[in-house]
C-alpha cells in the first residue's frame, strides 16, 4: 500500500514593522474587492491543497489582524497564530538596549515552532508568488520522506523580476548546481535597479558599486521545510545571539541559516523554478503597479474578479 499523502501547512511571516512602507502593508488592499497581496497568496495555497495556515504576527497588531485577515479565512482553512516578539529568546539572553523590532525572518519561522507539526511552506505576507509556485512546492512537500530528514526546497525567481522601481530591496542571491540543488545563498540588503542600464547594482563595502546581470536566481523567502528544521533553527539562533545578541539592529536571516546548513553538509535544498511573475509592496509607491498587475491577471482569467465570491475554493 502506498504511503498516505502528506498535507503541508502554510506559515505566513506577517510580523514586519512596515517601516519602509509606512504602515501595515500586510493589510493594504490591492485587489478590486479589497483583497490584499496576502489574500491572493492564501487563495493560491488553498487551491494547491493547503488546509491550515499559521500567521506569525506581533501581539500589538493581533486584534486588527484577526479582524481584518484571520476571520475571513476561517470558512476555508484552519487558522492558527504564532507571535514573534523580541523577548522570545533562549534562556540566558536578553533584549539589548536600543532594540526596537524582532530578530528577522529566521526568528519569525522559529516563532511558529509550537504550532507547526507537518511539512510547511514559508512565505512573506507582502509578496505575490503565483499559483504555479504554490502548486510545485506543495507537490514537493507532499512526498513522504523520513521525518528527521533535512531535505528542503526553495522557489527561485530572477533578480530583475523582483526589484522595486522605488528604492532598494533585500534579496538572497543563489547559486544552483546543474542538478538543481542550492549550493549557496548570500543575503544582499541594498539591491536596486541599475540607473545606467540593465540589471542591478549595490553599494559595496568599499563604497564602489557591485553590478549584477539581473538573471541571478534569488530567494524571495518562499521555502519548503519539515519539522526537523526547528531544532536546528533554534540551535543556530542561540549561536547567533552569542555573537550578535548585543547589537540592536542585527537580524537572524532565514536564507543565511539555510546557507550555513548547506555549507556544513547538514541540508539539501532543491530549487524549484516557476514561470510566474513575482511582485510585491515594499514601498507605498509600489501599490499602483501591483494593482495593475493583479487586474491584468484577472482579465486573463487567472483569478476571479472577487476572491470572496469564488465558491470553488
Amino acid at each position: 500500500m502506498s504511503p498516505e499523502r502528506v498535507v503541508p501547512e502554510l506559515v505566513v511571516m506577517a510580523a514586519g514593522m512596515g517601516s519602509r512602507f509606512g504602515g501595515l502593508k500586510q493589510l493594504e488592499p490591492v485587489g478590486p474587492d479589497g483583497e490584499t497581496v496576502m489574500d491572493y497568496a492564501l487563495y493560491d495555497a488553498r487551491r494547491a491543497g493547503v488546509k491550515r495556515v499559521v500567521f506569525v504576527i506581533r501581539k500589538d497588531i493581533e486584534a486588527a489582524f484577526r479582524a481584518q485577515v484571520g476571520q475571513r479565512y476561517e470558512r476555508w482553512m484552519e487558522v492558527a497564530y504564532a507571535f514573534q516578539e523580541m523577548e522570545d529568546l533562549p534562556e540566558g539572553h536578553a533584549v539589548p538596549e536600543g532594540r526596537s523590532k524582532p530578530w528577522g525572518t529566521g526568528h519569525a519561522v522559529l516563532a511558529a515552532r509550537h504550532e507547526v507539526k507537518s511539512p510547511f511552506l514559508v512565505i512573506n505576507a507582502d509578496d505575490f508568488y503565483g499559483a504555479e509556485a504554490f502548486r510545485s512546492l506543495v507537490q514537493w512537500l507532499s512526498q513522504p520522506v523520513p521525518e528527521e530528514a533535512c531535505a528542503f526546497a526553495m522557489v527561485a525567481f530572477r533578480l530583475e523580476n523582483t526589484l522595486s522601481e522605488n528604492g532598494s530591496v533585500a534579496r538572497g542571491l543563489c547559486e544552483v548546481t546543474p542538478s538543481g540543488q542550492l549550493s549557496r545563498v548570500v543575503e544582499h540588503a541594498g539591491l536596486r535597479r541599475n540607473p545606467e542600464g540593465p540589471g542591478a547594482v549595490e553599494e559595496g563595502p568599499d563604497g564602489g558599486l557591485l553590478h549584477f546581470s539581473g538573471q541571478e536566481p534569488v530567494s524571495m523567502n518562499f521555502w519548503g521545510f519539515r519539522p526537523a528544521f526547528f531544532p536546528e533553527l533554534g540551535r543556530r539562533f542561540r549561536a547567533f545571539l552569542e555573537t550578535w545578541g548585543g547589537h540592536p539592529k542585527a537580524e537572524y536571516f532565514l536564507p543565511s541559516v539555510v546557507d550555513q546548513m548547506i555549507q556544513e553538509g547538514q541540508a539539501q535544498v532543491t530549487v524549484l523554478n516557476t514561470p510566474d511573475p513575482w511582485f510585491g509592496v515594499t514601498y507605498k509607491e509600489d501599490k499602483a503597479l501591483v494593482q495593475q498587475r493583479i487586474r491584468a491577471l484577472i482579465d486573463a482569467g487567472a483569478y476571479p474578479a472577487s476572491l470572496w465570491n469564488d465558491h470553488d475554493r
Side-chain angles (χ1 to χ4, degrees):
M1 186 173 66
S2 60
E4 184 177 354
R5 182 179 176 86
V6 178
V7 180
E9 301 177 48
L10 175 64
V11 172
V12 181
M13 297 187 292
M17 298 291 283
S19 56
R20 287 176 296 183
F21 181 74
L24 288 179
K25 58 184 174 178
Q26 301 93 334
L27 306 182
E28 187 75 11
V30 294
D33 199 13
E35 297 92 345
T36 67
V37 171
M38 184 162 47
D39 292 332
Y40 288 96
L42 267 79
Y43 181 85
D44 286 333
R46 185 66 185 89
R47 287 196 292 180
V50 174
K51 297 179 180 179
R52 185 172 190 267
V53 57
V54 178
F55 292 110
V56 180
I57 60 175
R58 302 191 318 275
K59 277 286 186 182
D60 64 304
I61 66 170
E62 179 182 4
F65 199 95
R66 284 180 180 268
Q68 297 183 46
V69 180
Q71 290 182 7
R72 70 175 69 169
Y73 298 118
E74 292 172 359
R75 294 178 295 162
W76 306 313
M77 306 171 78
E78 180 183 347
V79 177
Y81 298 90
F83 299 99
Q84 184 184 11
E85 299 294 315
M86 287 190 294
E87 297 78 12
D88 183 12
L89 298 171
E91 185 177 354
H93 293 276
V95 178
E97 183 178 354
R99 188 164 194 96
S100 60
K101 63 179 182 178
W103 300 84
T105 51
H107 186 235
V109 175
L110 186 62
R113 63 194 180 276
H114 301 304
E115 291 291 341
V116 176
K117 307 302 179 187
S118 303
F120 60 102
L121 302 82
V122 172
I123 65 170
N124 293 328
D126 51 352
D127 287 341
F128 184 100
Y129 297 104
E132 181 57 34
F134 279 94
R135 281 193 292 268
S136 62
L137 188 51
V138 167
Q139 181 179 22
W140 190 91
L141 283 171
S142 299
Q143 306 306 313
V145 298
E147 179 61 29
E148 68 279 4
C150 283
F152 310 144
M154 183 201 81
V155 178
F157 295 81
R158 292 293 168 189
L159 173 60
E160 66 180 1
N161 294 330
T162 71
L163 298 170
S164 171
E165 302 290 343
N166 300 298
S168 63
V169 296
R171 301 288 182 257
L173 266 66
C174 303
E175 297 177 11
V176 184
T177 69
S179 63
Q181 297 295 304
L182 184 65
S183 61
R184 182 172 294 278
V185 55
V186 179
E187 192 74 16
H188 291 257
L191 292 162
R192 63 182 190 275
R193 291 197 182 279
N194 184 356
E196 300 179 354
V201 295
E202 180 184 36
E203 184 175 338
D206 60 354
L209 287 181
L210 303 176
H211 289 262
F212 303 88
S213 71
Q215 297 302 304
E216 296 85 355
V218 298
S219 161
M220 297 304 302
N221 276 331
F222 195 4
W223 299 93
F225 296 115
R226 293 185 168 87
F229 182 47
F230 286 120
E232 272 296 311
L233 194 59
R235 183 180 71 80
R236 292 171 187 273
F237 185 46
R238 288 191 293 272
F240 167 85
L241 292 172
E242 292 294 334
T243 302
W244 298 102
H247 294 252
K249 294 186 178 181
E251 293 197 51
Y252 185 52
F253 288 118
L254 186 59
S256 298
V257 178
V258 174
D259 182 67
Q260 289 174 4
M261 294 182 69
I262 293 172
Q263 305 315 315
E264 296 170 11
Q266 299 299 311
Q268 291 185 329
V269 182
T270 299
V271 177
L272 306 174
N273 294 296
T274 172
D276 287 339
W278 172 94
F279 49 88
V281 179
T282 302
Y283 301 92
K284 274 190 177 294
E285 295 81 1
D286 295 332
K287 180 180 175 179
L289 179 59
V290 170
Q291 290 175 312
Q292 292 173 15
R293 290 184 173 181
I294 287 175
R295 172 51 67 183
L297 288 168
I298 292 171
D299 292 344
Y303 296 91
S306 172
L307 297 186
W308 318 123
N309 296 331
D310 180 27
H311 301 292
D312 296 327
R313 295 184 63 113

